[in-house]
Amino acid sequence: MTQDPSPHEALASIQATRTGMAAAAAYPVGYDLIYGAVCALLVAAPGLPEPWSRVAMPIAMLILAGLILWWRKKFGWWVSGVSPRRARWVAIGLGAVLFGLMFLTVPARTDGPSWMYLVSGALGFVAAIVGNRLWMHVWRRDLAEGPQ
Amino acid sequence: MTAVPVFDPVIHAPGRLQICAILSGLDDAEFAMIRDRIGVSDSVLSKHVKQLEDAGYVGLTKAPFDGRRRTWLALTAKGRKAFAAHVAELQRLAAMTAPGRLGEGFSG
């Protein structure tokens, strides 16, 4: 590209750069599994027996911080779930689902069934993995389609 | 929201255009990652970043990470607005000059 690119050249350069960023963001399935486990722990924590109900949430937050550090180290960049224009709605939707699952866990702690945290945790695990992959898909489309 | 088209000579240079393109999709990115992705030397990237920083388009954060002090770059709100306006102007110009399809898909 010349030092004074034409509009077509400049737009092509922007699109290629952004699409290249999206393509390079390939991460292992292990990241999904750990992220799913963190979300499962967050959802199930209130229903866990003592003392696990008190320590589970800080543990989940520590693992989440570790995931962010790992991502920054591996890729050299970061984008939060709610930053991208369209992908943010996937993150908000996932947050709503996880929050809703907590309402399965919390009442069951006193009213039973005592195993409800296993159900909500399992659903949280699956929702987090599906939501994470869906978020990445929408974010890649955001990148390919243009700046926000 | 559609940006008002404004041509920005600070952003238009190829290196700075690519830096803004990378940062526009992210919260922040490390200096070395951007250098490797656009294929320039440290000094060339530093000059581009300085110009973007002087224009108020890019903010720098230096933080120890993984045992080394690293520089992270992020587009400021002013920078995001300027980049969106510049892209809108490029699309307008591209639409005037040819019936090509390169500008299609950009929503600015």
Side-chain angles (χ1 to χ4, degrees), chain A:
Chain A
M1 191 162 55
T2 64
Q3 285 306 302
D4 186 18
S6 71
H8 287 290
E9 287 174 328
L11 287 170
S13 169
I14 291 167
Q15 193 159 21
T17 303
R18 286 171 60 98
T19 306
M21 285 298 299
Y27 60 94
V29 175
Y31 182 90
D32 277 329
L33 297 176
I34 296 172
Y35 181 71
V38 166
C39 292
L41 206 52
L42 287 172
V43 164
L48 291 173
E50 293 292 346
W52 296 109
S53 65
R54 272 181 290 180
V55 298
M57 206 162 284
I59 288 173
M61 297 311 288
L62 277 176
I63 298 171
L64 194 59
L67 276 180
I68 294 171
L69 284 175
W70 175 85
W71 188 284
R72 282 182 170 276
K73 185 178 173 183
K74 178 172 174 60
F75 294 109
W77 53 264
W78 178 251
V79 56
S80 76
V82 293
S83 295
R85 182 180 47 188
R86 275 184 296 207
R88 73 167 57 113
W89 294 107
V90 178
I92 290 168
L94 176 59
V97 168
L98 295 177
F99 193 69
L101 287 172
M102 280 187 179
F103 280 94
L104 276 182
T105 310
V106 174
R109 188 176 181 181
T110 49
D111 305 334
S114 59
W115 43 262
M116 185 54 80
Y117 70 89
L118 292 173
V119 175
S120 58
L123 290 173
F125 180 79
V126 173
I129 292 173
V130 172
N132 201 34
R133 285 287 165 175
L134 180 61
W135 187 94
M136 284 300 290
H137 175 74
V138 176
W139 177 70
R140 286 191 172 109
R141 281 185 54 192
D142 270 356
L143 279 186
E145 288 181 11
Q148 296 150 41

